[in-house]
Amino acid sequence: MTISRSDFPEHFLFGAATAAYQIEGMASGGAGPCHWDTFAATPGNVFGAHDGAVACDHYHRWEGDLDLLQAAGMDSYRFSTAWPRILPEGRGAVNAAGLDFYDRLVDGVLERGMKPFLTLYHWDLPSALAGLGGWMNRDVAGWFTDYAELVHARLGDRVASTATLNEPWCVAWLSHFVGAHAPGMRDIRAAAHAMHHVLLAHGTAMQALRGAGAKELGIVLNFETATPASDAPEDIAAAARGDAIYNRWFIEAMAGQGYPAEAMEGLAPHMPMGWEADMDIIATPLDWLGVNYYTRANYAHDADTPWPSYKQVEGPLPKTDMGWEIRPEGLYEILTRLSDGPAKGLPIYVTENGMAGDDHLNACAVHDPVRIGYIDGHLAAARRAISDGVDLRGFFYWSLLDNYEWAFGYDKRFGLVHVDYATQTRTPKSSYHALAAALAR
Ligand code: FCB
């Protein structure tokens, strides 16, 4: 790596991120079922029909996993609490063992000298609530806010920061329009409702948590530079629609700028009744913004499909094992665009950045030079953004461990640490060692 800790401001935080469903093992500890369990149990949705029942067995191995973070010199750890582990039915009876688990986890992070960054929702909607319509039902705002208050009451005295939701675009659009994530809906009206309700839930939870004295409240959004596939005006317009749905919808609404016209041109007829009256709650001021950045999207006009009438086309750049183009300058573009625009004045964290590699364990080692280059390139882009005035406060690699990559099951490996799922053996990859060396003081 060419970059090291000394290239960043003194209090800049380096960390790694995970999410509950992807690592914990939901069959342990009295958790209830969530919509990913049923999505995975339905043919054709998930590679190999893999689910999160065991995952990395982090529920039992969390101490060793926190040791790995500490030994890499990390300053902070971003994790999520699983809603169905705490409230197996989504509301009502509390699973005490679930809250106790996160209590020990937060203490364990602190004992190792790291800052706990909590995310309240990383996609594990309890099945009981999914059965009531989940994110399509306006009541989700109240259900989520009650859950958020419960977690805050137990952990709020020790966490350094709280994000309401991870990647609302995935919660709403990818899951209700594209159908690639649970609950696998492909319906524009369902999508429009979820696109709004996810923000309403964020806003009501922000207000409740702030009222309960919480500090450092934010949200984690995903961004991808939207590139037109050609100079043709139709492709440029297609990219503008993609950009509005993916990159602008959430942050502009939270900034009090309303929903972008290029998205409303298709979604307006399908919005929930009375949505306009919610926009003030949605614009509850944030304390910080989390940015997840992996790649860019290349959009072409597709006359054969209804609105938004675009398709994504393969770009020319080198790709990760997900087929995602590697383009570090996109991180710079996103950070500067946000900080000059709808996130003006907000501290920003890169809450996820990383890549899946074709990683193999050979003689107790995993050689992953491409990942080292990926991290180095994106840290360089982050540093350039800081020198150009972006108030960037930290960078979290996705992910600490190889884990359950949603519809791709255990087939894709993003970890700094390799996981052998048959034995649960952890093996730090070369990228782990390179990052540890870069972070050494
Ligand atoms: C993000 C998700 C995370 C992981 C990475 C690869 O969209 O937040 O859980 O799947 O992508």
Coordinates of all heavy atoms in Angstrom, one line a residue, residues 35 39 45 130 135-136 171 175-176 179 181-185:
H35 N -37.3 -11.9 6.7 CA -37.7 -12.1 5.3 C -36.6 -12.7 4.4 O -36.8 -13.3 3.4 CB -38.4 -10.9 4.7 CG -37.5 -9.7 4.5 ND1 -38.0 -8.6 3.9 CD2 -36.3 -9.4 4.9 CE1 -37.0 -7.7 3.9 NE2 -36.0 -8.1 4.5
F39 N -37.0 -15.7 1.8 CA -36.6 -15.4 0.4 C -35.6 -16.5 0.0 O -35.7 -17.0 -1.1 CB -35.9 -14.0 0.4 CG -35.5 -13.5 -0.9 CD1 -36.4 -13.1 -1.8 CD2 -34.1 -13.4 -1.2 CE1 -36.0 -12.6 -3.1 CE2 -33.7 -12.9 -2.4 CZ -34.6 -12.5 -3.4
N45 N -34.0 -17.7 -5.8 CA -33.6 -16.4 -5.3 C -32.2 -16.2 -4.9 O -31.6 -15.1 -5.1 CB -34.5 -16.0 -4.1 CG -35.9 -15.7 -4.4 OD1 -36.2 -15.3 -5.6 ND2 -36.8 -15.8 -3.5
A130 N -43.0 -8.6 7.8 CA -43.1 -8.8 6.4 C -44.5 -9.3 6.0 O -45.0 -8.9 4.9 CB -42.0 -9.8 5.9
W135 N -42.1 -3.0 4.3 CA -41.8 -1.6 4.0 C -42.9 -1.0 3.1 O -42.9 0.2 2.8 CB -40.5 -1.6 3.3 CG -39.4 -1.9 4.2 CD1 -38.7 -3.1 4.4 CD2 -38.9 -1.1 5.3 NE1 -37.8 -3.0 5.4 CE2 -37.9 -1.8 6.0 CE3 -39.2 0.2 5.7 CZ2 -37.2 -1.3 7.1 CZ3 -38.5 0.8 6.8 CH2 -37.5 0.0 7.5
M136 N -43.9 -1.9 2.6 CA -45.0 -1.3 1.8 C -46.0 -0.7 2.7 O -46.9 0.0 2.3 CB -45.6 -2.4 0.9 CG -44.6 -2.9 -0.1 SD -45.2 -4.3 -1.0 CE -44.9 -5.7 0.2
V171 N -33.2 -1.4 0.3 CA -34.4 -1.8 1.1 C -35.6 -1.6 0.2 O -36.5 -2.5 0.2 CB -34.5 -0.9 2.4 CG1 -35.8 -1.2 3.1 CG2 -33.3 -1.1 3.3
S175 N -35.3 -4.3 -3.7 CA -36.1 -5.4 -3.1 C -37.6 -5.3 -3.5 O -38.3 -6.4 -3.4 CB -36.1 -5.2 -1.5 OG -34.8 -5.2 -1.1
H176 N -38.1 -4.2 -4.0 CA -39.5 -4.1 -4.4 C -39.7 -3.8 -5.9 O -40.9 -3.8 -6.4 CB -40.2 -3.1 -3.5 CG -40.2 -3.4 -2.1 ND1 -39.2 -3.2 -1.3 CD2 -41.2 -4.1 -1.3 CE1 -39.4 -3.6 0.0 NE2 -40.6 -4.2 0.0
G179 N -36.5 -6.7 -7.5 CA -36.8 -8.0 -7.0 C -35.7 -8.9 -6.6 O -35.8 -10.1 -6.4
H181 N -33.6 -8.7 -4.0 CA -33.4 -8.9 -2.6 C -34.8 -9.1 -1.9 O -35.8 -8.7 -2.5 CB -32.8 -7.7 -1.9 CG -31.3 -7.6 -2.0 ND1 -30.5 -6.8 -1.3 CD2 -30.4 -8.4 -2.8 CE1 -29.2 -7.0 -1.6 NE2 -29.2 -8.0 -2.5
A182 N -34.8 -9.7 -0.7 CA -36.0 -9.9 0.0 C -36.8 -8.6 0.2 O -36.2 -7.6 0.5 CB -35.8 -10.5 1.3
P183 N -38.1 -8.6 0.0 CA -39.0 -9.8 -0.3 C -39.2 -10.2 -1.7 O -40.1 -11.0 -2.0 CB -40.3 -9.2 0.3 CG -40.3 -7.8 0.0 CD -38.9 -7.3 0.1
G184 N -38.4 -9.7 -2.6 CA -38.4 -10.1 -4.0 C -39.6 -9.6 -4.8 O -40.1 -10.3 -5.7
M185 N -40.1 -8.4 -4.4 CA -41.3 -7.9 -5.2 C -40.8 -7.2 -6.5 O -39.6 -6.7 -6.5 CB -41.9 -6.7 -4.3 CG -42.6 -7.2 -3.1 SD -44.2 -7.9 -3.4 CE -45.1 -6.6 -4.2

